């Protein structure tokens, strides 16, 4: 029996489920939107046992943790302000511990812990150690240093370190615009000291590359976002009228090797990885999204990734 | 335009060569462009070279026309320039589908007495995803409502339902209330309507409604080939390359309860009252038509539109040849001309063979 943890709205999970049905693979799906009662997670020197939603987890042979995480705090406790915040924190540590427990006992593909602890700087450091090219980057609280970085590159961009900003109060609403170019005016408007800003050299790209990684296999796609002003800085500023050209790509073997040692290092068995292929002919690692979307990649490249994922569970 | 860097076609812009001209089928943007066969050959033979090299190859005699071609290709983003042409593999033409039966047509008239809910149950076991219900003479709205209710309550694998039915007084109210209740209803085509009207899906509603003054009296109305049915997308294209673009993974029950590939086809596989669908769909006799791809059909195989086109195996130009082209196609790929198929004197015999003289066609 396979356990799927996902959002009920996730198209890719639905498509994988169809293939599981096709191959006659038994599965149970728990959705992250629902309250999932935790019957017990019992630990003793002699044994440990886990039952969620009346499912005895010892009957589960493999887990595909596709999106989000399970909710074990009843919905009735969701609107208690700071109390809820506290309960959620406790729940977070529980969920992560359960993941660690399951990971040590069975095949467990995907990770909530990796998703929330997806620190871009750590990944840059690891990627560099594995021999991958990374963009020149700076994190600074100083206007002087930022100006120094700005002046030593023809153009620079800025993005968030971990979380896109999303603040809504009664009088303000602040939303992330994703990656953006840093201009003279922007810098001039800054104080001498500020909260840490993450900036990178702007790399002239020939195309971008999105890699979906699953159990030591790579499914890669080239994204030609350069011709379109809207997507020049980041293809995620989607143009829905005329979509960027997206075509299958074969990463060079040495890049795949470096990526494999990278994913081993950060203990990732699935995820989406972004690269740039620069006009000066280099593959440059940008970042990882452990629970990134791959539906569009699978469709554009005719990869049938959903079937390949289902097949992975056939052998368990 | 970079004339000194190798060019490459984006692999989702697929070249299809016909007898007289070719097409570029843009599977990402659902766009089809007709191009001369000269340009097809130029692209097929020279991909990976630079424009300068190509010009030189032709002794710089055709520079102007080559420039014109490449401007057209570059402007429409069918090509790009890169020194890295080798890292871009061919597009896989594989078509894969997680169902045993993908789509089903159920015909119902006033005399139909087969057990429709039983059929739906069996379709669920076959993982069927799309259902079309056709009422020709009179609208069987209680049957349709029962079907939609059953699909909803049984959480059936069928996610999308299309309905064909004749106009009746109050039909708009009926459609409005039905679409509120059943999100699986995606398309309603109303014929013999006093007006023509097209209501596109809006907001949360996925339902598309089409009213037409035309009359569809029976299954003979089906099978027409028309440019407006052309569709260039990855799924349809790869299916057409490998399988029959109408009948692949299709199952039908005609108005008399006979199991068929399509209600219009002569040959049946027994009555649904006494035959299990599962036993039929594994029979080679039933599935063999699934493999008749356009590349196997005479004349179609020379047509530049073959992989974006629908097909019809029920009404053939030569009823004695199962690989004959669809009777209701008016296109001639050797002259690139469209004409009215029903007025073609060469098709007269086949038209009377199928008793199609009096039929109004589905647009």
């Amino acid at each position: 029996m396979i356990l799927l943890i996902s959002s009920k709205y996730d198209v890719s999970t639905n498509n994988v489920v169809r293939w599981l049905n096709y191959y006659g693979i038994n599965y149970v799906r728990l959705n992250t939107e629902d309250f999932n009662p935790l019957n017990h997670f019992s630990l003793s020197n002699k044994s440990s046992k886990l039952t969620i939603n009346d499912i005895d987890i010892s009957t589960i042979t493999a887990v595909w943790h596709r999106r989000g995480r399970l909710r074990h705090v009843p919905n009735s406790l969701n609107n208690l302000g700071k109390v809820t915040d506290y309960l959620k924190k406790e729940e977070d540590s529980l969920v992560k511990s359960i993941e660690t427990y399951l990971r040590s006992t069975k095949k467990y593909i995907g990770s909530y812990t990796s998703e929330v602890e997806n620190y871009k700087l750590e990944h840059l450091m690891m990627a560099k150690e594995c021999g991958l090219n990374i963009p020149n980057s700076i994190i600074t609280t100083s206007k002087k240093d930022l100006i120094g970085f700005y002046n030593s590159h023809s153009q620079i961009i800025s993005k968030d370190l971990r979380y896109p900003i999303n603040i809504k109060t009664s009088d303000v609403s602040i939303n992330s615009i994703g990656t953006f170019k840093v201009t003279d005016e922007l810098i001039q408007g800054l104080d001498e000291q500020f909260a840490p800003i993450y900036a990178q050299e702007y790399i002239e790209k020939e195309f971008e590359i999105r890699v979906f990684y699953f159990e030591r296999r790579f499914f890669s796609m080239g994204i030609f976002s350069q011709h379109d002003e809207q997507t020049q800085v980041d293809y995620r500023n989607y143009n829905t009228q005329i979509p960027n050209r997206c075509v299958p790509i074969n990463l060079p073997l040495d890049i795949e090797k470096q990526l494999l040692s990278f994913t081993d290092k950060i203990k990732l068995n699935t995820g989406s990885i972004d690269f740039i292929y620069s006009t000066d002919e280099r593959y440059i690692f940008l970042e990882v999204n452990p629970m990134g979307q791959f539906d569009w990649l699978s469709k554009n490249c005719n990869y049938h990734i959903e079937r390949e994922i289902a097949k992975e569970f056939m052998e368990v | 335009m970079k004339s000194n860097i190798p060019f490459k076609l984006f692999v989702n812009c697929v070249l299809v060569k016909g007898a007289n001209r070719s097409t570029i089928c843009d599977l990402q943007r659902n766009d089809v462009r007709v191009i001369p066969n000269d340009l097809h050959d130029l692209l097929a033979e020279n991909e990976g070279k630079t424009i300068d090299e190509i010009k030189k190859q032709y002794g710089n005699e055709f520079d102007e026309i080559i420039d014109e071609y490449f401007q057209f290709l570059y402007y429409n983003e069918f090509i790009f320039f890169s020194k890295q042409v080798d890292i871009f593999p061919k597009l896989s033409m594989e078509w894969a589908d997680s169902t045993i039966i993908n789509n089903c047509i159920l015909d119902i008239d006033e005399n139909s007495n087969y057990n429709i809910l039983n059929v739906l149950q069996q379709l669920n076991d076959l993982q069927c995803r799309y259902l079309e219900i056709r009422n020709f003479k009179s609208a069987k709205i209680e049957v349709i409502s029962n079907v939609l209710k059953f699909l909803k309550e049984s959480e059936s694998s069928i996610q999308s339902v299309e309905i064909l039915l004749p106009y009746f007084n109050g039909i708009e109210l009926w459609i409005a209330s039905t679409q509120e209740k059943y999100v699986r209803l995606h398309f309603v085509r109303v014929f013999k309507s006093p007006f023509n009207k097209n209501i596109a899906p809006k907001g949360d509603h996925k339902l598309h409604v089409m009213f037409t003054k035309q009359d569809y009296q029976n299954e003979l109305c089906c099978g027409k080939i028309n440019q407006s049915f052309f569709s260039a997308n990855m799924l349809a294209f790869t299916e057409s390359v490998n399988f029959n673009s109408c009948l692949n993974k299709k199952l039908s029950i005609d108005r008399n309860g006979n199991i068929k590939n399509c209600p219009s086809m002569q040959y049946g596989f027994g009555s649904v009252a006494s035959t299990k669908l599962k036993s039929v769909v594994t029979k080679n006799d039933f599935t063999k038509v699934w493999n008749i791809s356009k590349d196997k059909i005479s004349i179609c195989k020379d047509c530049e539109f073959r992989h974006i086109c629908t097909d019809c195996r029920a009404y053939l130009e030569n009823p004695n040849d199962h690989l004959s082209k669809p009777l209701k196609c008016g296109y001639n790929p050797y002259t690139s001309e469209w004409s009215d198929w029903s007025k073609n004197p060469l098709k007269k015999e086949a038209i009377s063979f199928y008793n199609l003289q009096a039929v109004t066609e589905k647009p």
Side-chain angles (χ1 to χ4, degrees):
Chain A
M1 180 80 82
I2 313 297
L3 171 65
L4 310 181
I5 302 173
S6 187
S7 157
K8 62 171 101 159
Y9 306 108
D10 185 56
V11 184
S12 299
T13 312
N14 297 343
N15 290 331
V16 170
V17 160
R18 288 196 189 103
W19 282 107
L20 292 173
N21 287 334
Y22 182 83
Y23 290 122
I25 302 167
N26 290 323
Y27 65 89
V28 49
R29 175 174 179 172
L30 297 178
N31 288 321
T32 54
E33 289 81 7
D34 307 325
F35 165 60
N36 278 284
L38 175 63
N39 304 73
H40 56 256
F41 179 26
S42 33
L43 298 165
S44 76
N45 280 59
K46 283 194 199 108
S47 66
S48 43
K49 212 168 166 334
L50 175 62
T51 305
I52 300 172
N53 218 346
D54 296 328
I55 302 156
D56 175 356
I57 302 295
S58 68
T59 63
I60 299 292
T61 47
V63 182
W64 182 37
H65 196 152
R66 162 72 191 117
R67 298 287 280 180
R69 64 159 169 87
L70 296 182
R71 313 209 163 276
H72 303 305
V73 173
N75 295 335
S76 57
L77 301 175
N78 270 343
N79 291 310
L80 303 176
K82 297 217 159 132
V83 175
T84 301
D85 292 348
Y86 169 73
L87 294 175
K88 292 275 169 194
K89 253 192 221 165
E90 286 283 278
E91 181 192 35
D92 192 67
S93 82
L94 167 70
V95 169
K96 285 176 182 164
S97 303
I98 290 178
E99 182 178 312
T100 307
Y101 166 71
L102 290 176
R103 196 169 279 284
S104 67
T105 55
K106 51 196 90 222
K107 185 178 181 125
Y108 196 105
I109 304 175
S111 166
Y112 167 68
T113 308
S114 300
E115 172 70 11
V116 286
E117 291 173 7
N118 180 21
Y119 302 130
K120 288 174 186 154
L121 298 180
E122 281 185 29
H123 291 159
L124 280 184
M125 292 184 276
M126 306 262 200
K128 181 189 144 191
E129 275 175 42
C130 297
L132 292 161
N133 291 313
I134 59 169
N136 292 337
S137 306
I138 186 175
I139 305 91
T140 178
T141 62
S142 141
K143 185 174 186 173
K144 192 169 144 254
D145 284 77
L146 185 63
I147 291 172
F149 186 74
Y150 179 75
N151 287 338
S152 58
H153 295 91
S154 58
Q155 292 185 77
I156 65 170
I157 56 107
S158 178
K159 54 184 182 179
D160 55 80
L161 278 164
R162 173 60 196 93
Y163 299 102
I165 190 167
N166 186 5
I167 294 170
K168 250 185 213 127
T169 66
S170 48
D171 33 54
V172 284
S173 169
I174 309 173
N175 279 308
S176 170
I177 53 163
T179 307
F180 59 92
K181 272 188 191 169
V182 177
T183 59
D184 265 327
E185 293 119 289
L186 262 174
I187 295 179
Q188 271 153 31
L190 292 170
D191 294 334
E192 287 308 311
Q193 297 291 335
F194 35 76
I197 282 180
Y198 179 23
Q200 270 178 349
E201 63 173 318
Y202 172 77
I203 297 161
E204 286 289 345
K205 62 194 176 190
E206 197 173 308
F207 47 86
E208 292 184 62
I209 302 166
R210 175 84 164 191
V211 183
F212 178 69
Y213 174 68
F214 190 86
E215 286 288 272
R216 310 202 81 65
R217 287 175 71 184
F218 295 105
F219 302 89
S220 309
M221 174 167 82
I223 304 166
F224 288 75
S225 45
Q226 205 51 25
H227 302 297
D228 188 333
E229 271 183 33
Q230 199 176 327
T231 56
Q232 230 170 46
V233 179
D234 186 339
Y235 71 81
R236 285 167 298 189
N237 305 327
Y238 302 111
N239 184 339
T240 48
Q241 293 297 310
I242 307 165
N244 287 149
R245 282 286 176 211
C246 294
V247 293
I249 207 170
N250 288 333
L251 286 177
L253 280 180
D254 56 325
I255 301 286
E256 285 201 359
K257 261 190 203 156
Q258 288 164 335
L259 257 186
L260 276 178
S261 75
F262 170 75
T263 51
D264 285 343
K265 219 174 184 122
I266 66 167
K267 297 192 174 59
L268 200 73
N269 48 23
T270 185
S272 298
I273 304 155
D274 291 332
F275 276 90
I276 277 181
Y277 184 75
S278 64
T279 48
D280 60 358
E281 303 179 22
R282 292 182 304 145
Y283 290 87
I284 299 163
F285 170 93
L286 293 182
E287 60 181 72
V288 178
N289 291 291
M291 289 181 167
Q293 296 291 5
F294 59 84
D295 180 62
W296 58 303
L297 192 154
S298 186
K299 285 195 178 115
N300 274 313
C301 299
N302 202 29
Y303 280 147
H304 303 291
I305 292 173
E306 301 79 5
R307 180 188 60 193
E308 298 308 303
I309 291 176
K311 274 182 171 169
E312 185 67 35
F313 295 106
M314 207 150 44
E315 291 128 32
V316 184
Chain B
M1 292 270 286
K2 295 161 189 160
S3 63
N4 58 348
I5 296 177
F7 88 90
K8 184 144 177 77
L9 271 162
F10 286 107
V11 279
N12 45 29
C13 302
V14 188
L15 296 174
V16 179
K17 191 173 184 179
N20 194 40
R21 52 186 196 174
S22 299
T23 50
I24 297 179
C25 300
D26 182 342
L27 306 185
Q28 191 182 7
R29 297 177 183 167
N30 195 356
D31 186 14
V32 178
R33 301 299 178 93
V34 173
I35 57 168
N37 275 349
D38 284 347
L39 177 54
H40 171 279
D41 295 347
L42 182 90
L43 290 169
E45 287 161 22
N46 297 299
E47 202 176 355
K49 292 182 191 156
T50 67
I51 299 177
D52 291 344
E53 281 166 354
I54 297 166
K55 284 180 179 170
K56 212 166 152 195
Q57 213 169 279
Y58 289 93
N60 289 92
E61 262 180 80
F62 301 103
D63 287 7
E64 214 166 298
I65 190 157
I66 290 172
D67 276 335
E68 205 177 292
Y69 278 159
F70 277 93
Q71 263 153 21
F72 156 79
L73 295 164
Y74 187 65
Y75 178 76
N76 287 292
E77 271 196 281
F78 295 136
I79 58 165
F80 64 100
F81 300 94
S82 177
K83 290 179 194 162
Q84 295 294 324
V85 285
D86 296 337
I87 61 168
F88 295 97
K90 275 193 175 155
L91 185 67
S92 158
M93 279 296 142
E94 187 191 11
W95 184 83
D97 179 67
S98 55
T99 67
I100 297 168
I101 289 297
N102 176 286
N103 58 92
C104 175
I105 300 175
L106 302 177
D107 278 0
I108 303 164
D109 70 7
E110 48 287 349
N111 300 317
S112 302
N113 59 2
Y114 63 90
N115 184 339
I116 195 164
L117 296 189
N118 179 277
V119 172
L120 295 177
Q121 238 150 13
Q122 295 190 55
L123 286 173
N124 186 56
D125 292 337
L126 300 171
Q127 284 116 35
C128 181
R129 290 176 69 178
Y130 306 98
L131 176 68
E132 183 180 358
I133 302 174
R134 307 193 302 186
N135 290 174
F136 288 110
K137 297 268 156 46
S138 60
K140 305 296 222 181
I141 53 171
E142 64 295 346
V143 178
I144 293 167
S145 297
N146 279 340
V147 166
L148 289 166
K149 187 161 176 267
F150 179 85
L151 296 179
K152 183 178 175 179
E153 286 171 1
S154 67
E155 295 183 31
S156 166
S157 63
I158 295 168
Q159 314 159 332
S160 176
V161 180
E162 177 175 340
I163 289 166
L164 175 80
L165 77 180
Y167 184 88
F168 59 87
N169 278 329
I171 191 167
E172 284 152 300
L173 273 176
W174 178 77
I175 291 171
S177 76
T178 308
Q179 92 165 359
E180 282 308 320
K181 275 186 275 184
Y182 305 109
V183 292
R184 292 173 203 233
L185 183 60
H186 288 175
F187 193 78
V188 176
R189 191 196 300 266
V190 181
F191 64 93
K192 237 177 156 177
S193 156
F195 50 85
N196 287 323
K197 195 170 159 191
N198 190 22
I199 307 166
K202 216 166 80 189
D204 287 343
H205 290 298
K206 283 191 180 158
L207 181 66
H208 185 165
V209 188
M210 215 172 107
F211 291 90
T212 170
K213 289 181 180 173
Q214 274 190 299
D215 186 11
Y216 305 137
Q217 296 193 337
N218 52 37
E219 66 280 355
L220 295 173
C221 67
C222 198
K224 203 178 168 191
I225 305 298
N226 188 307
Q227 270 175 294
S228 64
F229 301 152
F230 286 176
S231 169
N233 66 65
M234 189 79 75
L235 260 184
F237 191 95
T238 52
E239 184 173 25
S240 163
V241 166
N242 297 284
F243 300 101
N244 187 269
S245 45
C246 178
L247 298 179
N248 185 36
K249 293 207 180 192
K250 180 190 261 32
L251 182 142
S252 307
I253 313 290
D254 76 5
R255 53 202 159 107
N256 300 316
N258 295 311
I259 305 169
K260 290 181 170 179
N261 291 109
C262 139
S264 297
M265 284 177 92
Q266 316 276 320
Y267 193 74
F269 296 85
S271 158
V272 73
S274 54
T275 316
K276 283 264 162 287
L277 297 184
K278 207 162 206 164
S279 72
V280 172
V281 301
T282 49
K283 273 197 192 123
N284 179 47
D285 257 7
F286 184 78
T287 59
K288 66 184 181 198
V289 288
W290 294 4
N291 295 313
I292 305 177
S293 64
K294 283 286 191 186
D295 291 326
K296 294 176 183 151
I297 297 168
S298 43
I299 304 178
C300 290
K301 66 182 169 199
D302 293 327
C303 179
E304 64 274 23
F305 299 119
R306 61 188 175 275
H307 293 310
I308 52 167
C309 184
T310 50
D311 187 49
C312 175
R313 291 295 93 204
Y315 307 117
L316 305 176
E317 205 164 81
N318 175 359
N320 298 318
D321 173 11
H322 74 290
L323 296 177
S324 170
K325 83 171 255 193
L327 173 65
K328 299 185 189 179
C329 168
Y331 185 64
N332 180 340
Y334 307 104
T335 60
S336 309
E337 277 167 354
W338 287 90
S339 56
D340 186 346
W341 65 272
S342 62
K343 298 195 175 105
N344 185 338
L346 298 172
K347 299 196 184 215
K348 224 171 174 177
E349 226 170 285
I351 290 172
S352 76
F353 174 88
Y354 294 114
N355 290 316
L356 289 171
Q357 295 91 334
V359 167
T360 320
E361 294 80 34
K362 199 165 163 176

